[in-house]
Every structure is written in C-alpha cells, then in structure tokens.
Amino acid sequence: MSMTQSTEEQACFPKKVAEAYFNPQCQLPYGLKMEEIHNAMNDFVEFLGFVNQQLHTKSIPRLESFLMPANFSSIVGEFMNMTIPRYCDSLVKNRYHNGHPDLIPSTTFSGDAVQYSTEGVEVKGSRHASGWQGHNPEAVWLMVFHFDSNTANDDQWDIGPKPFQFLGVYAAKLDLEDWTFSGRSATSRRTITAA
C-alpha cells in the first residue's frame, strides 16, 4: 500500500493471520489441526480483500461497512463452516437446513446431514471477546472467530476506516451448565437466547 492511498482504500486490505499467534499446545476435536484453522482464516481474509477491493473500484462501501453487524458476523461464521472442511477431512459442513452443530464428523450421519447432535462443532463469528449467544444452551464444541472491523454504525460514532482483522479464535467443549438461559417477558419480541 502506498502513502497516497486513502484510508478507505487501505481498509480494503484485511490483515493476514500470523500462525505464530496460535497456541501450539491447543487440543482440538475430530482431528482438526491448528494449521487448518489458520488456512481457513486466511482464505476469508483473501476473500474479503478481493470483494472489498472490487467494491472500492465502483465507489461502493466495504462489505462490513454496509451490512448489518449480525449479518456480517454470520458471513464470517458461514465462510469458516464452508472452508474448514476443505482442509480437514474429518469434518464436513452439516447439510441439514439450520442443523446443529455447523460442522459434523464426516461419514457419521447419512448424507452428512443431521437436525441435532452433540457430536460436532458449532461455529460463530463475533466482534466480541465474550458473551456469545445462541438460541439454545447446548452441550457441544463451540468455536468462535473473534474479529475487528468497521460496521454500518461507525459513522455515527466518528470511527474511521480500518481493515478487517481476526483478533482470536477460541474453542472449547461446553456443557449445559456453561450457559445462562435468557428468557423474555410476555411483551418482548426479542429472540430467546442463551449466553
């Protein structure tokens, strides 16, 4: 990037993920390896950079700058669901529509599809380092891809352009006791969640 590039143009180049930041002692389930996660994360960085650079040539804001924050987080998670199995033969994307969890052990379920199982890995993308939510408390492996990026709300807070970057990836086997159920009042329209 040259010094003559605008900050908006510079923000079209997400930051690569350095393998040196990963914990080499990390023990992951289902034969998943740290290198495979690293590769999938950098695939997302390349994808987002390509899309944003193309949008910039048409004077269209970057993807993360115009999507609703939850929609962009969903794209991060779905991209990981699609990409991790490219590197890890022992996991596949759950083909059941809205099935749980997102990644399931390969050759375990007919057609690589299951409506609900405790075998597999639930995947989320989040701008937050904690407080992740789901619709139900689940005893399952959870993997969260924590990132920093602009949002559609940044203009109102006078936050300038910044490149997307992953801040961490966290994985753990959760039990039902690890969740806090958040109900809702009789008049609330908020989706019922667990955190």
Side-chain angles (χ1 to χ4, degrees):
M1 288 181 282
S2 73
M3 294 304 286
T4 59
Q5 288 179 313
S6 69
T7 55
E8 177 62 28
E9 188 175 1
Q10 290 174 13
C12 291
F13 294 85
K15 295 184 179 179
K16 286 282 220 181
V17 178
E19 193 170 346
Y21 290 112
F22 284 79
N23 176 359
Q25 309 304 314
C26 180
Q27 295 181 6
L28 298 167
Y30 307 106
L32 183 59
K33 296 180 179 67
M34 176 191 69
E35 297 82 12
E36 296 162 342
I37 294 171
H38 174 251
N39 290 339
M41 292 169 77
N42 274 328
D43 283 356
F44 181 80
V45 166
E46 289 178 19
F47 157 78
L48 185 62
F50 174 78
V51 169
N52 283 342
Q53 291 162 45
Q54 294 301 307
L55 291 172
H56 186 73
T57 66
K58 304 291 186 188
S59 300
I60 299 172
R62 286 169 290 123
L63 195 62
E64 63 270 32
S65 297
F66 69 81
L67 288 176
M68 289 177 30
N71 289 348
F72 184 74
S73 294
S74 179
I75 288 173
V76 173
E78 287 301 321
F79 193 96
M80 293 301 125
N81 292 336
M82 173 191 70
T83 309
I84 289 172
R86 289 185 183 168
Y87 296 103
C88 178
D89 293 340
S90 58
L91 287 170
V92 295
K93 182 175 174 22
N94 188 350
R95 293 183 180 192
Y96 195 98
H97 176 68
N98 287 333
H100 177 86
D102 299 309
L103 298 175
I104 55 176
S106 58
T107 69
T108 302
F109 302 99
S110 177
D112 291 330
V114 62
Q115 182 177 14
Y116 174 81
S117 176
T118 57
E119 289 298 323
V121 181
E122 182 72 3
V123 176
K124 294 191 174 297
S126 180
R127 287 183 175 84
H128 306 287
S130 64
W132 309 298
Q133 294 182 333
H135 294 296
N136 297 291
E138 308 282 0
V140 71
W141 272 89
L142 176 67
M143 183 176 294
V144 179
F145 291 87
H146 178 205
F147 64 89
D148 182 42
S149 74
N150 284 116
T151 73
N153 303 322
D154 284 354
D155 286 344
Q156 70 185 10
W157 302 107
D158 201 28
I159 297 171
K162 58 184 173 180
F164 172 96
Q165 65 177 327
F166 281 109
L167 300 177
V169 56
Y170 318 115
K173 174 74 165 88
L174 299 180
D175 295 318
L176 291 178
E177 306 83 55
D178 294 319
W179 294 90
T180 302
F181 184 70
S182 304
R184 66 179 181 191
S185 70
T187 58
S188 175
R189 293 182 36 86
R190 184 182 63 79
T191 302
I192 297 172
T193 58

